[in-house]
Amino acid sequence: MCQPPQLDSFVLSDYLNGYTPSIKIRRALYIGRRCQELALESYQIAYAELVQSTCDLETGKIVAKLIADYDKSFVKDSMWEEEARRKSHDEQEDLLAQIDAQMKQHLMKGASDAQAELGRLYERMGLPDKAAAAYLKARDYCTSMEDQSKMSASAAFAGATIMRWAQVTNYAAKALSTSKIPNDPVNVGLQLLLLQADVGEDKWSEVARAISTLNYESASTSQVVTPMDIALYGTLAGLASLSRDEVKELLINNPQFRKFLEHLPVCLDLLQLFYRSQYTDALVRLDQVMSLARIDMVLMTHVEKLLSQIKVNILVLYTQPFASTRLESMAKALRFGTASKLEKELSELISSGRINARIDLVNGFLISYNVEPRDLALQKVEKMYKTFDDQSELLLSRVMFLEEETAKTP
């Protein structure tokens, strides 16, 4: 379980309103399971969206029971349940009959259209796996590259609902490869799906660099991810994978990304503190940002690893300007709790070569190996001398060998 996001003026309904109905429902249910304090409101939002936009009877029954556990006065919508049951059954039977009739007459276009409509019905029924399968079958019936591209896109969007990232990447790429309109809203949505798949597979460098190229006007209208998501993903990915200068160039000074950051100002504060090397304050902001990440169902499996990666990046940067640093002061500044925890982290970074230093446990200091320019020049000369000496030995050996061979020749 986790706490509600520690952000000023966080409103759950506003946070969820930017998504498609299916994603909104799944995100609301995820938050309800993860956050006790937001559970009732999350389930109420999910149920309202189910009744308004779907005929997902099974999920509706589950959510109604969850709400009733919190609110004994809750009354489920029996009329919607009956209508959803009838409508989904009748539509499914009708579409299956249409597909069969079209196939018997070898009318591939008609079969493809009916199969695609069946996929949309399955989505409304809360069956994204079946929806994706229906879209792919419709793709097999398509008679044009354009129609195949549309069905690949539909399969990708269905996969994103249930976070099947391999499926998303495969079919989004196929749809984009045959597209002729780069700035088409569907294509922008597909590009954001690929971005979200990289988030789901913790490819932080790719995420940060892809987000730095996004156009706000086109990306902000998509219901795949919201502007707040893009601000969150870009900030965390940048802190985990970029240098200070790259953070400034690709994120802070990027006019398009700054527009996304307006939807989540705490992220701009965090990036600026990071760039200015104000790491103690940056870690406070990081805790606030991570409180939002913990209710994000795409980030859910990566939160702790991502947090650790960012803290390691900060630790490496913190040590760079100093010839020596007191471990106790560093532990306090970077909120490690105790110097012993910091020592363990530093030991691993020294072993991996990310920090060029040694730990003086007796006096409690981290001492950097600052190589003097004269020492570097001497090392270079010694290396050149060794190379020359080795080559001279080889040349001398070859001359002696040739002389010996000549002497043996009658």
Side-chain angles (χ1 to χ4, degrees), residues 323-366:
S324 64
T325 313
R326 184 177 292 277
L327 294 176
E328 187 175 336
S329 300
M330 192 190 308
K332 183 178 180 181
L334 300 183
R335 304 174 71 196
F336 267 85
T338 63
S340 59
K341 290 182 180 179
L342 176 61
E343 288 167 17
K344 182 176 183 296
E345 194 71 54
L346 288 171
S347 297
E348 293 176 0
L349 291 171
I350 291 170
S351 298
S352 66
R354 292 199 63 185
I355 292 179
N356 187 26
R358 66 180 177 84
I359 299 175
D360 180 355
L361 291 177
V362 175
N363 297 304
F365 278 90
L366 177 75

Side-chain angles (χ1 to χ4, degrees), residues 43-116:
Y43 295 143
Q44 289 171 333
I45 290 172
Y47 191 77
E49 193 64 48
L50 282 161
V51 171
Q52 180 178 330
S53 307
T54 80
C55 50
D56 186 355
L57 187 59
E58 294 306 312
T59 303
K61 289 179 178 179
I62 293 170
V63 178
K65 185 178 184 307
L66 289 169
I67 294 173
D69 289 341
Y70 287 92
D71 180 6
K72 302 303 180 184
S73 64
F74 171 74
V75 178
K76 65 181 181 179
D77 193 329
S78 300
M79 185 178 297
W80 169 74
E81 288 188 2
E82 184 57 37
E83 179 67 12
R85 183 181 295 105
R86 182 195 60 77
K87 189 174 182 180
S88 58
H89 178 270
D90 291 350
E91 284 192 33
Q92 185 175 0
E93 291 296 314
D94 181 54
L95 288 167
L96 289 171
Q98 285 185 46
I99 295 167
D100 187 57
Q102 297 288 329
M103 289 299 293
K104 285 180 179 178
Q105 298 178 57
H106 302 288
L107 300 174
M108 304 303 285
K109 173 65 172 157
S112 176
D113 290 345
Q115 190 74 48

Side-chain angles (χ1 to χ4, degrees), residues 92-306:
Q92 185 175 0
E93 291 296 314
D94 181 54
L95 288 167
L96 289 171
Q98 285 185 46
I99 295 167
D100 187 57
Q102 297 288 329
M103 289 299 293
K104 285 180 179 178
Q105 298 178 57
H106 302 288
L107 300 174
M108 304 303 285
K109 173 65 172 157
S112 176
D113 290 345
Q115 190 74 48
E117 188 58 43
L118 182 62
R120 288 187 280 273
L121 172 62
Y122 284 145
E123 286 197 270
R124 295 196 302 275
M125 293 171 65
L127 302 170
D129 279 334
K130 282 193 171 185
Y135 291 134
L136 294 179
K137 187 171 284 189
R139 186 176 183 272
D140 293 338
Y141 300 153
C142 288
T143 56
S144 71
M145 293 293 290
E146 182 180 358
D147 288 342
Q148 285 188 1
S149 178
K150 288 179 180 178
M151 291 304 100
S152 294
S154 295
F157 283 111
T161 303
I162 49 176
M163 299 189 295
R164 298 282 175 81
W165 304 127
Q167 176 180 315
V168 168
T169 301
N170 184 16
Y171 291 107
K174 285 182 178 179
L176 288 169
S177 68
T178 57
S179 172
K180 298 179 181 178
I181 312 174
N183 294 322
D184 178 78
V186 173
N187 290 343
V188 172
L190 290 169
Q191 290 165 357
L192 292 173
L193 281 186
L194 291 174
L195 169 65
Q196 194 176 50
D198 282 344
V199 173
E201 295 178 340
D202 66 342
K203 298 178 181 178
W204 305 119
S205 180
E206 291 90 332
V207 170
R209 295 178 192 282
I211 282 178
S212 71
T213 66
L214 289 179
N215 177 273
Y216 177 80
E217 299 303 327
S218 55
S220 63
T221 60
S222 170
Q223 291 182 297
V224 175
V225 294
T226 65
M228 187 183 288
D229 290 334
I230 293 173
L232 176 65
Y233 298 160
T235 297
L236 294 179
L239 294 178
S241 64
L242 301 180
S243 67
R244 286 177 63 254
D245 290 340
E246 287 174 326
V247 165
K248 182 180 182 182
E249 178 187 354
L250 299 179
L251 302 178
I252 296 174
N253 288 353
N254 183 332
Q256 294 298 316
F257 187 64
R258 287 290 287 261
K259 293 179 182 179
F260 291 111
L261 289 172
E262 290 174 7
H263 295 267
L264 198 56
V266 66
C267 283
L268 176 58
D269 290 343
L270 172 55
L271 291 170
Q272 290 176 328
L273 289 167
F274 176 85
Y275 177 71
R276 293 197 295 260
S277 300
Q278 295 175 251
Y279 298 123
T280 304
D281 292 336
L283 288 167
V284 174
R285 289 287 187 274
L286 181 61
D287 284 346
Q288 292 178 296
V289 172
M290 294 309 291
S291 72
L292 181 62
R294 286 187 172 88
I295 66 166
D296 184 289
M297 68 179 191
V298 181
L299 287 170
M300 61 180 176
T301 58
H302 309 301
V303 167
E304 297 309 320
K305 182 180 176 182
L306 181 58

